[in-house]
Amino acid sequence: MKGTFLKDIMNLKGQMLYYAFIVVFFFAVGVVSGNIYFYAGVSIFCGVVAPLSAISYDEKDNWDKFALASGVSRKSLALSRYALGLAIFVPVWAISFVFFAIPGFCTEENLYTVLAFGGLGLAVTDGVLPLVFKLGVEKARTVYVVLVVAVMALCVGAASFIGLTGGYAPLIGSLAALAVGIIGLPVSVCVSLTIYRHKDF
């Protein structure tokens, strides 16, 4: 798995600079505008963009077929894509907490936002990767677009919920979203491994 992970990192090193620029740009936009939602929204998709790009490259080069013939296990191939997604998403999401060191950002609403959007980011990865393993990147692209629209709608709903409700409801809602993303991860991995185990290359 380590070798496949490093291979994906090398293949995507050019794109990594682009991702880093996007992260820095929207962080700056969030700071200047005083609105954490700009950065939180972008962080949602960071965990799935890199694995999708890596899988797309591999499909064009028939890498999986070559790797399996070379003795790499199907489990390692599938897990390496999750490792790649988490290696991107977790640091980007963690940067969200840097906002709380900036005057004016240390509020309960912003904390709930970071927690909720962290869960949504994991949920996107949980839902997309099994579909990509099953259908391939191109066939899953339409489903991915639909999921993006659905997640954006959830983000708007989450923002409204956090901003308009009081008491413990926003905290409970944000923790619930985070829990769904975390609990969904092993479920998603199991589904992907089952799909990969029966996939014909």
Side-chain angles (χ1 to χ4, degrees):
M1 185 178 77
K2 181 180 178 181
T4 304
F5 175 81
L6 292 176
K7 182 269 299 178
D8 289 337
I9 293 293
M10 291 299 295
N11 284 345
L12 298 175
K13 61 182 180 180
Q15 292 187 28
M16 292 296 184
L17 295 174
Y18 173 74
Y19 300 151
F21 172 78
I22 293 296
V23 168
V24 171
F25 175 78
F26 277 94
F27 184 89
V29 169
V31 171
V32 172
S33 66
N35 191 331
I36 200 172
Y37 287 99
F38 288 105
Y39 182 83
V42 168
S43 69
I44 285 180
F45 302 103
C46 290
V48 75
V49 171
L52 285 179
S53 297
I55 294 171
S56 179
Y57 283 134
D58 289 348
E59 285 184 352
K60 292 177 182 178
D61 297 333
N62 290 317
W63 162 258
D64 287 356
K65 185 175 182 180
F66 170 78
L68 291 172
S70 301
V72 180
S73 69
R74 292 172 182 256
K75 181 178 180 180
S76 293
L77 288 174
L79 290 179
S80 67
R81 275 55 189 271
Y82 281 92
L84 178 63
L86 291 176
I88 302 297
F89 173 74
V90 172
V92 171
W93 179 61
I95 291 173
S96 300
F97 291 93
V98 175
F99 279 98
F100 298 107
I102 303 172
F105 280 93
C106 194
T107 65
E108 290 183 350
E109 180 180 342
N110 284 339
L111 176 60
Y112 302 153
T113 299
V114 170
L115 295 176
F117 279 56
L120 290 172
L122 287 173
V124 169
T125 300
D126 297 344
V128 170
L129 286 184
L131 288 173
V132 174
F133 287 139
K134 179 67 175 179
L135 304 174
V137 174
E138 292 304 320
K139 291 183 179 179
R141 198 176 299 278
T142 301
V143 180
Y144 174 59
V145 172
V146 173
L147 183 60
V148 167
V149 174
V151 170
M152 293 306 296
L154 284 174
C155 290
V156 173
S160 299
F161 178 77
I162 292 170
L164 296 177
T165 56
Y168 291 103
L171 175 60
I172 294 172
S174 60
L175 290 176
L178 184 60
V180 168
I182 293 173
I183 295 171
L185 185 59
V187 175
S188 176
V189 169
C190 289
V191 172
S192 292
L193 290 177
T194 300
I195 293 172
Y196 225 70
R197 195 175 297 120
H198 297 92
K199 190 170 183 177
D200 184 16
F201 293 98

